[in-house]
């Protein structure tokens, strides 16, 4: 699946419910899923299948937020990262310092 296909799939599956919930409620669900992913990443005994599904949940809720906000994720990623690193313009990034 492409990023555009993921966003369209989430819109098709949940778009009406998501629109009723609104951006604030949806953002809270997104943050809950990010928390679950964080917990799974920190757990050395985490089930790899659960970790995989937590990544899928975070992506789905991000797509939901983008849908509600009217943002095309494929376009956004292409515009921000399509030409390389947003700071140095190179691929791979050649910036001296990495974020901790």
């Amino acid at each position: 699946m492409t990023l555009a296909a993921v966003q369209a799939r989430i819109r098709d599956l949940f778009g009406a419910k998501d629109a009723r919930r609104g951006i604030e409620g949806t953002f809270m669900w997104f943050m809950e899923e990010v928390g679950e992913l964080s917990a799974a990443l920190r757990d050395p005994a985490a089930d790899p299948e659960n970790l995989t599904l937590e990544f899928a949940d975070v992506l789905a809720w991000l797509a939901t937020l983008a849908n509600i906000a009217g943002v095309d994720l494929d376009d956004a990623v292409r515009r921000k990262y399509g030409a390389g690193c947003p700071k140095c313009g190179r691929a791979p990034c050649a910036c001296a310092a990495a974020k901790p």
Side-chain angles (χ1 to χ4, degrees):
M1 257 188 186
T2 65
L3 188 52
V6 168
Q7 190 169 356
R9 179 70 172 158
I10 296 303
R11 184 182 307 109
D12 292 345
L13 288 171
F14 307 113
K17 283 199 283 189
D18 294 338
R20 286 191 303 271
R21 184 184 321 102
I23 199 86
E24 293 84 9
T26 299
F27 186 77
M28 295 305 294
W29 279 106
F30 172 71
M31 292 308 298
E32 181 174 323
E33 291 300 336
V34 169
E36 290 177 11
L37 175 59
S38 174
L41 285 167
R42 290 189 320 260
D43 182 359
D47 173 22
E49 178 66 14
N50 181 59
L51 181 61
T52 297
L53 297 177
E54 292 301 340
F55 273 101
D57 286 344
V58 168
L59 181 58
W61 283 101
L62 180 64
T64 295
L65 283 169
N67 286 337
I68 294 171
V71 172
D72 177 328
L73 285 174
D74 191 64
D75 178 61
V77 171
R78 188 178 322 101
R79 287 170 46 192
K80 178 96 185 206
Y81 300 102
C85 171
K87 290 186 180 179
C88 70
R90 298 189 54 198
C93 172
C95 294
K99 289 185 179 184

